């Protein structure tokens, strides 16, 4: 399967833009599937998509070839995304609601419900909303206009409410390995 990036064809393993390489390297070195999901913004409806078209949108359909993890957010089905209407993130909408209309309590609840640990946002609308909550979301990396936020205020770390281990999920399947503890309780939506 090939994808278009910078007007070139891109196969898995061929990253064409320095910013894409930087984004992929940062996510690979600083995120962990055991801590939570990565929510990715799709700029559907954003006024200026030039930055995204250059290095970001071409990555979305093939992101599972470059980064290990679970992803939420793109408004249309992309192969590695495990999502529904309630987990979309585009332009000024997240979790099925307009950002400016979502209360902080609802926003925190949804981040926790879906185990979101990192958010990759490119659009100015989303970045402006997220910047209102510096105690909840910390900018960990900025690449051009893309910002990678870490969610700091969560009720749990990752998917384990009790015990520890590794989790790997696919459609209709959750696999737990390296379990530690007498009782294992996971939270997985």
């Amino acid at each position: 399967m090939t994808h278009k990036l910078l007007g070139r064809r891109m196969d898995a393993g061929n990253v064409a833009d320095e910013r894409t390489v930087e984004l992929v390297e940062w996510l690979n070195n600083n995120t962990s599937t055991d801590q939570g999901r990565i929510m990715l913004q799709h700029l559907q409806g954003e006024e200026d998509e030039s930055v995204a078209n250059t290095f970001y949108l071409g990555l979305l359909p093939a992101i599972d070839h470059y980064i290990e993890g679970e992803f939420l957010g793109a408004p249309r089905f992309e192969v590695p995304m495990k999502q529904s209407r309630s987990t979309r993130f585009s332009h000024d909408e997240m979790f099925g609601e307009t950002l400016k209309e979502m209360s902080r309590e609802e926003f925190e609840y949804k981040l926790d419900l879906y185990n979101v640990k990192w958010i990759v946002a490119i659009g100015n609308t989303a970045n402006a909303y997220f910047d209102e909550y510096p105690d909840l979301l910390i900018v960990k990396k900025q690449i051009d206009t893309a910002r990678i936020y870490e969610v700091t205020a969560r009720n749990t770390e990752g998917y384990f409410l009790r015990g520890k281990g590794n989790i790997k999920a696919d459609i209709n399947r959750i696999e737990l390995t390296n379990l530690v503890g007498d009782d294992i309780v996971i939270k997985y939506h």
Side-chain angles (χ1 to χ4, degrees):
M1 186 187 266
T2 58
H3 306 281
K4 198 168 189 170
L5 184 67
L6 294 175
R8 296 176 232 168
R9 295 184 74 76
M10 180 178 91
D11 293 313
N14 176 26
V15 182
D17 187 279
E18 291 176 11
R19 294 166 297 181
T20 307
V21 172
E22 189 175 355
L23 176 66
V24 167
E25 285 179 356
W26 194 94
L27 289 171
N28 278 328
N29 293 328
N30 296 282
T31 66
S32 165
T33 57
D34 293 336
Q35 291 181 319
R37 293 184 173 116
I38 302 167
M39 185 161 234
L40 301 164
Q41 181 183 21
H42 185 284
L43 291 182
Q44 182 176 350
E46 189 74 42
E47 289 177 18
D48 182 13
E49 294 187 20
S50 60
V51 173
N53 286 334
T54 302
F55 82 100
Y56 183 69
L57 291 180
L59 176 65
L60 286 181
I63 200 164
D64 61 324
H65 294 290
Y66 301 103
I67 302 163
E68 279 197 40
E70 284 192 38
F71 307 95
L72 295 175
R76 60 180 183 261
F77 181 73
E78 305 285 1
V79 175
M81 306 284 178
K82 293 174 179 69
Q83 65 192 8
S84 67
R85 283 189 66 80
S86 58
T87 60
R88 292 179 180 179
F89 175 29
S90 63
H91 181 49
D92 65 346
E93 185 179 295
M94 188 180 228
F95 301 120
E97 295 182 47
T98 304
L99 287 171
K100 66 182 177 185
E101 295 173 3
M102 191 182 322
S103 71
R104 180 190 170 115
E105 293 76 25
E106 180 70 10
F107 182 54
E108 281 188 67
Y109 171 76
K110 295 285 180 93
L111 291 172
D112 188 53
L113 176 67
Y114 292 105
N115 290 320
V116 176
K117 182 66 177 174
W118 299 276
I119 301 171
V120 180
I122 292 197
N124 295 329
T125 304
N127 287 338
Y129 177 81
F130 297 151
D131 290 344
E132 292 179 21
Y133 305 116
D135 59 318
L136 175 62
L137 301 167
I138 297 174
V139 177
K140 299 300 276 189
K141 180 76 174 168
Q142 179 145 354
I143 306 167
D144 215 323
T145 61
R147 291 187 190 158
I148 303 169
Y149 295 87
E150 183 175 358
V151 179
T152 59
R154 296 225 0 239
N155 295 333
T156 60
E157 278 298 315
Y159 302 96
F160 287 85
L161 295 174
R162 269 194 273 171
K164 292 185 179 186
N166 299 97
I167 190 166
K168 184 176 181 182
D170 206 342
I171 296 172
N172 295 326
R173 180 179 175 83
I174 297 176
E175 183 179 321
L176 304 174
T177 57
N178 303 320
L179 298 175
V180 177
D182 293 331
D183 294 325
I184 303 296
V185 178
I186 65 168
K187 176 179 79 91
Y188 194 93
H189 190 288

